Amino acid sequence: MTSRTSIRFVPIILVVIAIAAMRTLAPVDALHSWTTLPFLVAAATLYLLAHMMRAARLAVIAMPMLGLSFRTAFLLHLFVAPWSLIMPFKLDEAIRLYELRHTGKSWSRAMITLLIDRSMDGLVLLTLGLTLLLSGRPGNIMLLGLSGFVLTIILIMLFTLPILLEAVQSYIFQHHYGAHALRSLRVIDYLRRLLTAGRTTINRTALFLAIITFWIWIVELAAVATVLAGIDPATSIFDAIDLMLVRTDISWRILLLGDMSHQRAAILTMTFVWGLVAAFVPAALLYGRRRGSEPLRTLAATRPAPILTRL
């Protein structure tokens, strides 16, 4: 069963490698320069390290929320990671959500897990937007500020909504009767307990999540700066921040449509995609083996122990 699941991932692996290989062979002069090669290898390694830290962050959230093992959640992220460069409009999050649901057997808990993970980046994005504004480069600040604001609001709602839902639940219980009120109470109680589980997870792991999120962005920014150092040593940290945001917006057009209008972003994307593909191949095979049996492990972990064992 598990070996068959792993074999099914082989076509996906081949598709990702084919896309990466096809676009890497594009005529970008800097990619064929031996002087820049060490910088590109170092940048790909740093970018892979940043995603490994993202995988660890997801695992720490998914363990209490979905009952997953650290290894499975870690491999899940590395399996989905290349799609973040290939797919437009953050559609890779749909793949991540589906995989979290499959392994954790809960759409709602998978959604909360994903929201917690993404909301950790909200304050960082707002900080980067402010940095660009102060440097006089407001080109990406609208999208950046909106993304940071929305993610920060989601984080705030994870803390405040359980209190609000508890108040609504209490009001319905005291002032309304009947079948409709009971159905509403069940739905509200389910949402409250779900959001409370998310808030508890954040509270218990807050220090780790804050520290690792900080280092994720530092390492990713260092990867961008390393590529720029190999192309043009005269660039500044503000150039690195701006290029990092441009790459986020244009990478799928580079890999899927062959858009080479922004040479630096093209070099950065090609460097990063090979860093992720290097980990994607073994991660996909290992994750494929665990994917089939993880729901069984999850159910075994949540199933009550026999009475004799508990005694």
Side-chain angles (χ1 to χ4, degrees):
M1 178 71 177
T2 56
S3 60
R4 289 181 181 178
T5 305
S6 184
I7 291 173
R8 289 173 188 165
F9 278 49
V10 172
I12 300 175
I13 295 172
L14 294 178
V15 168
V16 173
I17 293 177
I19 293 174
M22 178 176 60
R23 293 311 175 194
T24 302
L25 296 177
V28 179
D29 295 337
L31 290 175
H32 305 288
S33 173
W34 288 104
T35 58
T36 60
L37 184 59
F39 291 93
L40 300 183
V41 172
T45 304
L46 286 171
Y47 189 67
L48 175 57
L49 177 60
H51 268 278
M52 291 176 72
M53 288 192 287
R54 285 187 180 277
R57 185 177 72 179
L58 177 65
V60 167
I61 298 169
M63 284 191 296
M65 286 298 301
L66 291 166
L68 302 187
S69 64
F70 183 94
R71 189 189 309 175
T72 299
F74 189 91
L75 291 171
L76 186 155
H77 176 87
L78 293 181
F79 166 69
V80 179
W83 300 109
S84 65
L85 298 176
I86 297 172
M87 300 184 73
F89 315 122
K90 301 300 291 181
L91 292 177
D92 59 293
E93 299 297 345
I95 300 177
R96 197 186 319 274
L97 176 62
Y98 174 79
E99 292 299 329
L100 286 170
R101 180 265 164 195
H102 177 87
T103 51
K105 291 299 184 183
S106 171
W107 279 112
S108 56
R109 284 184 167 265
M111 177 62 75
I112 295 298
T113 299
L114 189 61
L115 288 176
I116 294 173
D117 182 55
R118 299 310 303 172
S119 67
M120 293 297 107
D121 296 323
L123 292 177
V124 177
L125 292 175
L126 288 176
T127 302
L128 291 176
L130 180 61
T131 302
L132 285 178
L133 181 63
L134 295 177
S135 67
R137 304 181 184 208
N140 295 291
I141 194 170
M142 183 64 70
L143 178 61
L144 189 64
L146 181 61
S147 301
F149 177 76
V150 170
L151 292 176
T152 303
I153 290 298
I154 290 174
L155 182 61
I156 294 173
M157 289 176 64
L158 287 171
F159 279 92
T160 58
L161 275 181
I163 300 173
L164 178 61
L165 290 176
E166 185 175 358
V168 172
Q169 194 174 11
S170 177
Y171 174 82
I172 294 175
F173 182 78
Q174 294 177 17
H175 298 87
H176 296 275
Y177 304 95
H180 181 71
L182 289 176
R183 286 194 295 268
S184 299
L185 284 173
R186 290 193 191 99
V187 172
I188 293 172
D189 185 62
Y190 177 79
L191 292 174
R192 182 187 61 79
R193 287 187 286 109
L194 181 65
L195 291 170
T196 299
R199 184 177 63 181
T200 302
T201 299
I202 296 174
N203 286 334
R204 291 177 177 175
T205 59
L207 182 60
F208 173 82
L209 294 178
I211 292 174
I212 200 168
T213 299
F214 172 79
W215 281 108
I216 285 169
W217 286 93
I218 290 295
V219 173
E220 187 168 336
L221 185 59
V224 178
T226 302
V227 171
L228 285 177
I231 300 173
D232 182 8
T235 53
S236 67
I237 187 65
F238 300 111
D239 294 314
I241 295 175
D242 189 54
L243 180 59
M244 179 170 62
L245 301 174
V246 170
R247 195 279 309 159
T248 302
D249 179 56
I250 202 176
S251 62
W252 68 273
R253 295 203 297 270
I254 294 169
L255 292 173
L256 294 182
L257 305 178
D259 183 0
M260 296 295 163
S261 59
H262 199 298
Q263 289 286 298
R264 289 183 173 184
I267 295 170
L268 194 65
T269 298
M270 295 173 190
T271 301
F272 285 179
V273 76
W274 277 112
L276 293 183
V277 167
F280 170 78
V281 175
L285 293 174
L286 292 172
Y287 174 63
R289 291 178 182 177
R290 298 183 65 85
R291 186 176 184 268
S293 56
E294 185 68 20
L296 300 179
R297 285 193 291 268
T298 303
L299 292 174
T302 56
R303 189 182 294 121
I307 295 176
L308 291 178
T309 303
R310 284 181 279 174
L311 292 176

